[in-house]
Amino acid sequence: MAQAAAVAKPPAPPRRRRASATPRRLPYLLIAPAALLMLGFIAYPVLSVFYYSLRNYNPTKPWRNGFAGLDNFTRIFSHDPQFWDTLTFSAKWVVVEVGLQLLFGLALALIVNQTFVGRALGRALVFSPWAVSGVLTSAIWVLLYNSQTGATRYLADMGIGSYGTSWLSDTSTVFPAAVVADLWRGVPFFAILILADLQSVSKDLYEAAEVDGASRLKQFRHITLPHLKDAIVLSTLLRAVWEFNNVDLLYTLTGGGPAGETTTLPLYIANTSVDAHNFGYASALTTVAFVILLFCSIVYLRLSKFGGESK
């Protein structure tokens, strides 16, 4: 007994304190208010559009309001030729605008990426139109296209064209006139993104190519373009979505005219909801436009292999 008592038991190891879960949850708690606000401002309108797309909803004719099921969608695809006209023009508008903006934006980015005197000022002038709002851009170009005080009058003074010509009211000139106005504001977007990616290209690649005797064209094809692939894919996708949803410039510049020649699908939706007060049908049109954009975006990203390695 004495020997057993003499043998002291080793002290018990200290218990490990459980790490508090609060520090791990703290980042989520901090961003929770902003996330809830974003969810409220984004999720609720989206769900509301889906809800009203299945209903007849016109505040000016409340006796006709009620559940419509798929009637609005049936009307879109079967009994609304204006939907197909506006969708066709929207596709044309997106392809022309995004293609030209990418071409000129790439050219400007390559120019301002070079070293020359006054480069900082040149970059500021190139990027400044992007800071102008769409409505203000439209107001500027409305003044430029004015038949009495705009560019057409000065051209007529030089013997080019005739007095009183309005490019925005002529069906043969309204589309190129609107394209030029939007190009002025959209080109800097591509120039900014492409220039940012150009500055990350290692100069060692170009020096090695020059040593191997590669021309400027081959350097651009095999070094610059592969490096810019993801930037070009992302910028064209973003700009295509924005151009498809372009309402402010065309609404202020042409109002969708003349004779509906410049009415895009979003502008048709705006006229249907705001002017005709047919919010149910406008919601169905918005839902269809959302599905079209989602499908085209997924297909474009898959075909372009965005994020993959360039061969």
Side-chain angles (χ1 to χ4, degrees):
M1 294 290 294
Q3 291 180 351
V7 179
K9 293 183 178 181
R15 293 183 178 181
R16 298 180 61 183
R17 299 180 60 183
R18 295 180 61 184
S20 176
T22 302
R24 290 180 297 177
R25 296 176 181 175
L26 183 60
Y28 301 101
L29 294 175
L30 292 176
I31 66 173
L36 291 175
L37 285 175
M38 291 181 62
L39 185 65
F41 282 104
I42 296 177
Y44 175 74
V46 171
L47 294 177
S48 297
V49 168
F50 291 153
Y51 170 75
Y52 284 112
S53 67
L54 301 175
R55 299 181 61 84
N56 293 320
Y57 182 68
N58 189 332
T60 63
K61 300 176 181 179
W63 60 89
R64 293 185 178 179
N65 295 343
F67 182 73
L70 299 178
D71 291 347
N72 288 328
F73 296 97
T74 303
R75 175 184 169 188
I76 290 174
F77 295 107
S78 302
H79 309 291
D80 190 357
Q82 192 171 358
F83 164 76
W84 296 107
D85 293 339
T86 56
L87 181 61
T88 302
F89 177 77
S90 297
K92 175 183 176 182
W93 173 262
V94 169
V95 170
V96 173
E97 277 293 342
V98 175
L100 291 177
Q101 288 178 20
L102 173 61
L103 180 63
F104 290 117
L106 177 60
L108 279 177
L110 292 173
I111 292 173
V112 297
N113 190 46
Q114 304 299 318
T115 302
F116 56 88
V117 178
R119 183 175 68 170
L121 178 61
R123 288 181 175 181
L125 293 176
V126 168
F127 300 153
S128 58
W130 181 244
V132 182
S133 67
V135 175
L136 184 56
T137 299
S138 304
I140 293 172
W141 284 92
V142 165
L143 293 176
L144 288 174
Y145 288 145
N146 188 282
S147 59
Q148 302 299 324
T149 60
T152 55
R153 177 178 178 179
Y154 293 100
L155 291 175
D157 291 340
M158 294 185 293
I160 304 175
S162 57
Y163 290 100
T165 302
S166 177
W167 291 341
L168 297 178
S169 60
D170 190 342
T171 56
S172 62
T173 57
V174 63
F175 180 73
V179 166
V180 170
D182 199 47
L183 279 178
W184 179 78
R185 183 170 180 261
V187 166
F189 170 77
F190 284 95
I192 293 171
L193 290 184
I194 294 175
L195 177 63
D197 210 31
L198 276 174
Q199 293 179 336
S200 65
V201 183
S202 175
K203 294 183 179 179
D204 295 338
L205 297 175
Y206 293 103
E207 293 175 357
E210 288 181 359
V211 171
D212 292 338
S215 63
R216 287 291 184 91
L217 182 60
K218 288 185 177 180
Q219 293 178 29
F220 175 76
R221 179 182 176 185
H222 297 287
I223 299 177
T224 306
L225 277 183
H227 186 85
L228 295 177
K229 172 181 171 291
D230 285 348
I232 291 175
V233 171
L234 180 60
S235 58
T236 51
L237 177 61
L238 291 175
R239 197 60 186 158
V241 173
W242 293 341
E243 288 296 345
F244 184 89
N245 292 318
N246 191 331
V247 173
D248 53 358
L249 185 137
L250 288 174
Y251 183 81
T252 308
L253 203 63
T254 66
E261 288 290 326
T262 58
T263 302
T264 59
L265 180 57
L267 187 54
Y268 176 46
I269 294 172
N271 293 333
T272 303
S273 58
V274 177
D275 296 339
H277 305 290
N278 193 347
F279 292 98
Y281 189 65
S283 298
L285 288 169
T286 304
T287 303
V288 172
F290 170 78
V291 173
I292 292 173
L293 283 178
L294 181 62
F295 174 78
C296 292
S297 299
I298 294 174
V299 171
Y300 180 66
L301 290 176
R302 292 293 298 272
L303 293 178
S304 62
K305 299 180 181 179
F306 177 72
E309 295 183 358
S310 302
K311 295 182 180 180

